[in-house]
Amino acid sequence: MKDIVQVCGLCVGFLGCVSAAVSLQVRSWKESSDEGSAIITSDLFENLWMSCAVDSTGLYSCWYFPSLLALPGFVQACRALMIASIVLGTFGLIFTLVGMQCSKIGGENYTMKGRIAALGGVFFILQGVCTMIAVSWYASNITQQFYNPLYNGIKYELGDGLYIGWCSATLALIGGCCLLCVCGNNSRVGKILASHTPSAVFQISHTTSTQHRYSSYI
């Protein structure tokens, strides 16, 4: 049963890592809103790397942001968080594969393998937290500009990339929690079994019999 939960946690964490990479590449983290626009000539889309426009004929034109330092601070922070999320998810996959009981990698020290798999779960949880912060922060800025009556620029709505990011964060958190709970329990069970080795049991029984003979003599 624990092996099944480990495999499920690995698969869910893998889907979370892949979804984070897909979210980072999706073109529309935000898309221009038609609210209050009398004449619509083109639709605008933006993500963390580029801005795109599509006209009424369906022709796309995209251009990358020219300067990193010229971008708003929250965009730079979201970039860093998403890249860190993918890196953490990759470490989570590696550690979980090494620490799974059904894997032959790393020998047959199941106590150590349980700790390694639990560490993989921690990486998945950190990945989910980074992704959740990035997409929620980006979405918060979109909604603040949309509902700000004094904002005179183009108003945007939430794009597909944000929803994929939220799904990615949820999957990573679920996978990480499953691995952390199951593998953490395996590690504790291994410690208990290690403390009850035959030599330890013999020592306890020998001490008990000695005390019993001493009390009978008295």
Side-chain angles (χ1 to χ4, degrees):
M1 182 64 183
K2 292 180 180 180
D3 292 340
I4 296 176
V5 177
Q6 283 184 348
V7 173
C8 291
L10 174 63
C11 293
V12 173
F14 174 74
L15 290 176
C17 185
V18 172
S19 299
V22 172
S23 173
L24 194 60
Q25 297 297 322
V26 169
R27 190 176 307 179
S28 58
W29 273 48
K30 64 179 180 180
E31 52 190 30
S32 58
S33 174
D34 299 337
E35 182 70 21
S37 298
I39 300 175
I40 302 174
T41 58
S42 62
D43 294 326
L44 302 178
F45 304 90
E46 284 190 11
N47 61 6
L48 298 176
W49 310 100
M50 67 177 67
S51 180
C52 298
V54 55
D55 56 19
S56 57
T57 62
L59 181 63
Y60 275 90
S61 59
C62 298
W63 56 93
Y64 287 93
F65 297 133
S67 174
L68 173 64
L69 299 178
L71 293 174
F74 76 94
V75 176
Q76 300 180 34
C78 289
R79 278 185 178 185
L81 287 170
M82 290 301 296
I83 294 173
S85 171
I86 295 175
V87 173
L88 290 170
T90 303
F91 279 115
L93 291 173
I94 295 172
F95 278 85
T96 304
L97 286 172
V98 174
M100 292 182 66
Q101 291 187 358
C102 59
S103 173
K104 299 300 182 181
I105 304 174
E108 296 182 356
N109 188 348
Y110 295 111
T111 301
M112 182 60 66
K113 288 173 74 71
R115 294 175 182 174
I116 295 173
L119 184 58
V122 171
F123 279 119
F124 280 135
I125 291 175
L126 292 176
Q127 177 210 338
V129 171
C130 289
T131 305
M132 185 67 72
I133 293 174
V135 295
S136 299
W137 192 357
Y138 197 92
S140 175
N141 281 270
I142 294 174
T143 54
Q144 287 179 2
Q145 291 179 356
F146 186 86
Y147 291 111
N148 186 4
L150 302 178
Y151 181 73
N152 296 324
I154 300 174
K155 292 187 177 182
Y156 290 88
E157 296 182 357
L158 305 182
D160 298 335
L162 296 179
Y163 296 107
I164 297 174
W166 278 314
C167 293
S168 169
T170 304
L171 290 173
L173 290 173
I174 292 174
C177 290
C178 291
L179 290 171
L180 193 60
C181 293
V182 174
C183 300
N185 290 335
N186 286 344
S187 180
R188 287 193 292 270
V189 171
K191 288 181 180 179
I192 295 173
L193 293 177
S195 65
H196 290 79
T197 56
S199 60
V201 173
F202 175 77
Q203 184 178 0
I204 293 173
S205 61
H206 179 71
T207 304
T208 305
S209 61
T210 303
Q211 291 178 351
H212 177 71
R213 289 196 302 270
Y214 181 73
S215 61
S216 299
Y217 177 77
I218 294 175

